[in-house]
Amino acid sequence: MEIKIIVNSLIDLFFPMRCLGCQDVIQSSQFLCVSCSTKLVFTHFNFDQNNRAYDKLINLCELENAFSLLEFKHRNITQAILHEIKYRNHPEIGIDLAQLVKLDLSEYDGIIPIPLHAKRLKKRGYNQIEDFARTLAEINQINYFPEGLIRIKYNISQVNEDKNHRLENLKDAFQINPNLKPGHYILIDDVLTTGATIASAIKKFNLSENFKISVITIACA
């Protein structure tokens, strides 16, 4: 235990945590300074069918409700946070973000994170959304199914593709775990842009009358 404390102290000394917004040095347990945390732009969506997240998806698939926590815009703090989570090996930031989601999810049958393909998971080493998804399940005391959905098709980055190409590339990219029981589940992803990835996953559930799906993302463009 003492060795761990010493190592952590040395890391904090030589590689201090910096605020993702302004780069000021902050405590290692934080990711934003007090000033930048006040600049987070929340969507203030309800978890229902009357918001932009739902509107992005309803023409692509059938879903019950949708919610996004933060507004995503080019070069805003939300973009910096998601970049840190996804590409800089800090998925634990999702734990703090999940605690900002003030929703009662206790009536749902469980939470399922959008999975990575095994090849991408091996390369990255982690699924960036799992800490956020698992924490939401723990807070609401509902089941967490990290393998409820399986990604069977490997795709290169879709960042530079338009919505139609994304939809085509992601066709049949997912399959439902055959052990998943019927119910109303919440799919979790990091950011909702075109909606192609989440819609592709939801369409698999739409093929069965045994499932209802709602969606929560950290951010919405």
Side-chain angles (χ1 to χ4, degrees):
M1 183 63 69
E2 290 183 358
I3 294 176
K4 183 177 181 180
I5 293 173
I6 292 172
V7 170
N8 288 337
S9 297
L10 290 173
I11 291 174
D12 289 342
L13 177 62
F14 293 104
F15 304 98
M17 184 67 182
R18 293 187 178 273
C19 171
L20 299 182
C22 65
Q23 296 302 304
D24 282 354
V25 174
I26 55 177
Q27 295 182 10
S28 58
S29 60
Q30 300 173 336
F31 61 95
L32 291 176
C33 68
V34 173
S35 177
C36 287
S37 65
T38 66
K39 298 176 183 177
L40 280 173
V41 182
F42 294 90
T43 63
H44 300 292
F45 292 167
N46 292 318
F47 193 22
D48 57 23
Q49 301 180 357
N50 299 306
N51 58 65
R52 191 170 72 256
Y54 181 86
D55 291 342
K56 280 177 173 284
L57 292 167
I58 191 57
N59 291 325
L60 304 175
C61 59
E62 297 177 16
L63 72 159
E64 299 299 313
N65 302 301
F67 171 85
S68 297
L69 179 66
L70 300 172
E71 294 283 0
F72 179 94
K73 294 183 180 179
H74 183 58
R75 295 188 182 279
N76 73 350
I77 292 178
T78 300
Q79 185 183 38
I81 291 171
L82 293 179
H83 186 85
E84 193 76 10
I85 292 172
K86 191 170 185 177
Y87 299 113
R88 295 191 174 180
N89 197 19
H90 285 288
E92 72 279 0
I93 292 174
I95 297 172
D96 293 333
L97 294 175
Q99 294 171 357
L100 299 177
V101 178
K102 306 302 182 182
L103 299 174
D104 181 3
L105 309 177
S106 59
E107 297 301 316
Y108 289 83
D109 293 298
I111 283 178
I112 302 172
I114 292 291
L116 298 180
H117 187 273
K119 184 176 179 180
R120 190 176 300 280
L121 182 61
K122 182 178 179 180
K123 181 178 180 180
R124 185 175 296 167
Y126 62 96
N127 182 345
Q128 72 273 8
I129 199 61
E130 281 200 353
D131 282 356
F132 178 79
R134 184 179 60 254
T135 303
L136 276 183
E138 291 172 352
I139 290 172
N140 289 276
Q141 297 183 345
I142 58 177
N143 291 322
Y144 177 55
F145 299 97
E147 298 180 354
L149 191 65
I150 302 166
R151 192 157 188 158
I152 57 175
K153 183 179 179 181
Y154 180 77
N155 299 98
I156 61 174
S157 175
Q158 303 289 303
V159 172
N160 296 318
E161 300 283 357
D162 61 27
K163 181 170 71 174
N164 290 333
H165 282 98
R166 290 188 185 196
L167 287 169
E168 182 62 30
N169 292 340
L170 289 163
K171 185 177 180 180
D172 297 323
F174 301 94
Q175 72 178 26
I176 301 170
N177 189 319
N179 295 319
L180 188 68
K181 296 180 179 180
H184 188 172
Y185 295 95
I186 304 171
L187 282 185
I188 306 291
D189 205 0
D190 51 359
V191 59
L192 177 59
T193 50
T194 65
T197 300
I198 298 175
S200 177
I202 294 174
K203 284 179 180 179
K204 283 298 177 183
F205 290 99
N206 290 163
L207 295 174
S208 171
E209 295 181 355
N210 294 325
F211 295 101
K212 291 183 179 179
I213 296 297
S214 292
V215 168
I216 290 178
T217 66
I218 293 176
C220 182

